[in-house]
Amino acid sequence: MRDYYTITELTREFDISTRTIRFYEDEGLIAPIRRGRTRLFRHSDRQLLKNILRGKRLGFSIAEIREIMQMYKNPPGEGGQLRTIVRRVGEKRRELEQKRRDIEELLRELDAAEEACLTRMAELGVAPHS
Amino acid sequence: MRDYYTITELTREFDISTRTIRFYEDEGLIAPIRRGRTRLFRHSDRQLLKNILRGKRLGFSIAEIREIMQMYKNPPGEGGQLRTIVRRVGEKRRELEQKRRDIEELLRELDAAEEACLTRMAELGVAPHS
DNA sequence: TGCCGGATTTACGTAAAAGTCAATTTTTCA
DNA sequence: TGAAAAATTGACTTTTACGTAAATCCGGCA
């Protein structure tokens, strides 16, 4: 297990550009250490990047991703702040549950569409795969 | 059950602007009928709008939503086209399944974050809700 | 030591998805 | 019928999330 990843290693692993990674750094989502001017990414940085990309796949904006990341990087914090976090966790959870319902619905519709295609292909006497 | 919806009824129901609806029309995603220049939305138009917004919530672009909608609006079609649709349905399904895994992961992390907050609050002797 | 390839910085560019504004037009209904 | 309210159109603007280009810098090595 290597100590550090270079920026290009990460661009290859996740199929994103260096510009994208630097952009996330500018946005304060990751903070790799430096040797001179060169960025060195720790395992934790790589993990954060993974989380960012997961958020992106789910359609969250940078601002939303930042907010989510702050939730589970909660510092000791004061009582009121903790309650705020708990409330926002609840909101995000509901949002994710809505997305999950959306996915289930869409999957059902895709199933129906596929079946309609296969039925029609059978009628036409077409082979199901190339 | 009314025959038609006006544009403002839909903007209120779905909490979007008229500009957004007109934009979707320009993009060819919906095609309400006209009485004079005024748009009249049928139930099917409303349903399409619902589908569009579901796609948006899942982070799909307009282009992707258009592609998905073409899948289950598949016309009689010719054999090769049917196979193309079946293939693309498969791709979208895998994409959705990835999103579903992403959601499960994120939900687990939110659970952990919430629990950490609650534990900390108990230590501080703070009441769990306002 | 001189060069080469990768990394960085700075700055401007851009596509997608609307928002905003102004000028009409249309509809409604008192 | 006539004015207020609602809808339309077109043009321009904004925001987000990077892309791209140019200039610079740095570390290794022949």
Side-chain angles (χ1 to χ4, degrees), chain A residues 85-121:
Chain A
I85 294 176
V86 170
R87 185 164 38 69
R88 288 201 289 199
V89 164
E91 288 163 11
K92 276 299 162 197
R93 203 201 314 273
R94 273 186 292 285
E95 205 172 326
L96 287 170
E97 282 161 356
Q98 173 64 55
K99 282 183 204 269
R100 188 161 56 180
R101 281 193 298 279
D102 288 333
I103 287 175
E104 298 307 330
E105 281 181 31
L106 194 39
L107 279 173
R108 290 314 137 244
E109 285 175 26
L110 289 182
D111 288 346
E114 186 175 41
E115 201 178 313
C117 284
L118 294 176
T119 301
R120 185 83 185 98
M121 286 164 76

Side-chain angles (χ1 to χ4, degrees), chain A residues 29-89:
Chain A
L29 298 182
I30 45 181
I33 60 173
R34 301 284 183 129
R35 184 181 49 197
R37 294 208 304 174
T38 302
R39 292 166 176 80
L40 294 179
F41 296 79
R42 290 151 294 189
H43 300 294
S44 61
D45 293 317
R46 177 173 168 283
Q47 189 57 44
L48 283 179
L49 190 51
K50 261 177 126 167
N51 290 353
I52 294 168
L53 297 176
R54 187 182 58 198
K56 289 238 68 189
R57 282 196 299 274
L58 292 175
F60 287 114
S61 70
I62 297 298
E64 288 170 316
I65 291 173
R66 191 185 357 253
E67 205 193 325
I68 293 171
M69 289 172 66
Q70 279 162 6
M71 287 180 198
Y72 48 84
K73 192 203 62 179
N74 68 45
E78 165 265 341
Q81 289 175 26
L82 287 168
R83 267 203 295 264
T84 300
I85 294 176
V86 170
R87 185 164 38 69
R88 288 201 289 199
V89 164

Side-chain angles (χ1 to χ4, degrees), chain B residues 119-130:
Chain B
T119 301
R120 186 81 186 98
M121 287 165 75
E123 286 168 18
L124 294 173
V126 180
H129 40 75
S130 110

Side-chain angles (χ1 to χ4, degrees), chain B residues 42-82:
Chain B
R42 290 153 292 190
H43 299 295
S44 62
D45 294 316
R46 177 172 168 284
Q47 189 56 46
L48 283 179
L49 190 51
K50 259 177 127 166
N51 290 355
I52 294 168
L53 296 176
R54 187 182 58 200
K56 289 239 72 189
R57 281 195 299 274
L58 293 175
F60 287 113
S61 70
I62 296 298
E64 288 170 317
I65 290 172
R66 195 189 349 259
E67 204 193 326
I68 293 171
M69 290 172 64
Q70 279 161 7
M71 286 180 197
Y72 47 84
K73 192 203 65 180
N74 67 47
E78 165 264 340
Q81 290 175 26
L82 286 169

